[in-house]
Amino acid sequence: MRIELGIALAGQGAVDEAVEHGRRALARPRHLVSVLSRARQLDGVLVNRYPTASSVREFNEQYQRFASQALTD
């Protein structure tokens, strides 16, 4: 749910709010596969639309760590 809200907020230009929802979702994943898939979508939207925003770069790094850890678990 948080990721979907983040995607919607990113579409409206609310970058920092979108990133915060993404961060919260990654902090407490309930359904790992679902969260990973949706987080990848949010990351793609953010990186494509706002590549220079520092919060977007930070979220991208957090997502990459999360994805790497998920693959090794």
Side-chain angles (χ1 to χ4, degrees), residues 22-42:
R23 285 182 181 153
R24 289 182 183 180
L26 292 181
R28 296 177 150 186
R30 292 186 181 152
H31 304 286
L32 182 62
V33 174
S34 175
V35 169
L36 187 59
S37 174
R38 299 298 285 162
R40 180 177 50 244
Q41 291 177 333
L42 175 58

Side-chain angles (χ1 to χ4, degrees), residues 52-63:
T52 61
S54 61
S55 60
V56 170
R57 287 191 305 270
E58 291 168 8
F59 178 76
N60 177 262
E61 291 169 5
Q62 181 182 6
Y63 164 72

